[in-house]
């Protein structure tokens, strides 16, 4: 078997999510997105066999190659930066988590209009202030939320954020609570923005306490990546 122990690790993650959701009291359903980046197609197959039907990849080229080798019907999520000249690849994904600029929003909307079906997207928020990470600041969000209402080729389903690796527990709580507030701004602007994609292997319990509906976990399910 490709990933021995996956079923046990998944059971542990599910139990931790349930406990964190109960502590947080937001009453949300939580979907696990199994992040298979750097692993081969066997990771997506193993995820599916274990009952995880949502799989995340951060690079388009790698994802497309893997998809061609995966015969089980997982839902693919794009969780990394997308270049505007690759928007057509979105045809293969159910959700873009990382809408990180107005120009990308325009390009994705154009794609949705051309194919005749709006693309589901999450707005990536950069709340850690790290220049190396993409995304909108909270102050950019409101004007953009209002502008995005007029883009008929995208459907804004919520927000995504990544916390800083060096954040303390209280900083993590603050960052994830800010993301939740960002989602409220989107809802107030009229978007069907119920989703909160936040939490990775090292911080998903805190994210769930703060209301995460999608957690993106790789290492804790599949072990350390070697690249
Ligand atoms: C790699 C990655 C993850 C998963 O990280 P782990 O620490 O392995 O759980 C989540 N989100 C994004 C955007 C990633 O690139």
């Amino acid at each position: 078997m490709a990933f021995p122990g996956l079923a046990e690790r998944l059971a542990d993650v599910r139990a931790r999510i349930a406990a964190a959701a109960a502590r947080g009291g937001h009453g949300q359903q939580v979907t696990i997105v199994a992040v298979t980046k750097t692993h081969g197609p066997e990771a997506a197959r193993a995820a599916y066999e274990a009952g995880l039907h949502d799989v995340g990849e951060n690079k388009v080229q790698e994802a497309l190659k893997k998809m061609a080798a995966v015969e089980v019907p997982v839902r693919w999520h794009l969780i990394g930066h997308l270049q505007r000249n690759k928007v057509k690849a979105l045809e293969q994904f159910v959700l873009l988590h990382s809408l990180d600029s107005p120009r990308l929003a325009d390009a994705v909307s154009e794609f949705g209009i051309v194919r005749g079906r709006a693309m589901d997207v999450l707005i990536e928020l950069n709340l850690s202030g790290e220049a190396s990470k993409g995304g909108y600041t909270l102050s950019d969000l409101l004007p953009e939320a209002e502008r995005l209402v007029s883009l008929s080729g995208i459907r804004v389903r919520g927000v995504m954020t990544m916390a800083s690796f060096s954040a303390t527990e209280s900083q993590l709580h603050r960052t994830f609570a800010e993301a939740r507030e960002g989602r409220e701004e989107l809802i107030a602007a009229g978007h069907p923005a119920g989703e909160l994609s936040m939490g990775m292997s090292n911080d998903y319990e805190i994210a769930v306490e703060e209301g995460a509906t999608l957690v993106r976990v790789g290492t804790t399910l599949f072990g350390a990546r070697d690249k």
Side-chain angles (χ1 to χ4, degrees):
M1 195 185 141
F3 293 91
L6 176 61
E8 290 76 13
R9 293 197 225 192
L10 174 59
D12 179 59
V13 171
R14 286 201 197 284
R16 288 171 184 275
I17 286 174
R23 284 195 302 276
H26 292 280
Q28 81 276 28
Q29 293 289 322
V30 182
T31 298
I32 298 170
V33 178
V35 177
T36 50
K37 66 186 187 195
T38 78
H39 296 291
E42 64 280 4
R45 276 182 218 125
Y48 186 80
E49 299 303 324
L52 293 169
H53 296 181
D54 292 86
V55 168
E57 286 284 331
N58 70 331
K59 294 198 178 109
V60 168
Q61 284 317 105
E62 180 185 343
L64 294 180
K65 197 168 156 239
K66 212 170 289 181
M67 285 170 186
V70 172
E71 45 301 286
V72 290
V74 295
R75 291 182 287 268
W76 295 90
H77 295 241
L78 186 58
I79 62 175
H81 176 67
L82 175 64
Q83 288 173 290
R84 281 179 296 143
N85 62 5
K86 294 198 179 133
V87 290
K88 283 202 183 78
L90 288 173
E91 192 57 46
Q92 310 302 322
F93 294 91
V94 294
L95 182 64
L96 172 65
H97 290 231
S98 42
L99 189 86
D100 57 9
S101 75
R103 294 203 317 162
L104 180 61
D106 291 344
V108 174
S109 180
E110 186 58 32
F111 160 79
I113 290 167
V114 168
R115 76 166 175 176
R117 184 163 54 89
M119 181 72 204
D120 283 327
V121 303
L122 305 179
I123 306 292
E124 182 172 354
L125 290 178
N126 181 339
L127 302 168
S128 61
E130 289 168 292
S132 60
K133 285 186 181 141
Y136 294 86
T137 63
L138 265 190
S139 55
D140 295 336
L141 182 63
L142 193 53
E144 182 68 345
E146 286 166 356
R147 188 186 77 92
L148 292 179
V149 170
S150 68
L151 298 192
S152 61
I154 59 176
R155 209 153 44 147
V156 179
R157 306 306 306 265
V159 305
M160 180 272 240
T161 202
M162 266 189 283
S164 160
F165 276 111
S166 57
T168 64
E169 208 167 291
S170 70
Q171 285 167 334
L172 289 170
H173 276 286
R174 192 167 63 234
T175 294
F176 293 141
E178 279 175 4
R180 198 176 63 237
E181 287 158 23
R183 181 183 64 174
E184 296 315 307
E185 289 188 6
L186 292 177
I187 292 170
H191 297 287
E195 305 293 342
L196 261 181
S197 170
M198 56 191 195
M200 302 172 38
S201 291
N202 60 323
D203 58 14
Y204 71 90
E205 290 168 85
I206 294 174
V208 170
E209 284 183 33
E210 293 295 343
T213 65
L214 293 158
V215 295
R216 310 176 310 269
V217 291
T219 310
T220 200
L221 295 173
F222 302 111
R225 288 180 289 272
D226 47 30
K227 25 179 179 156

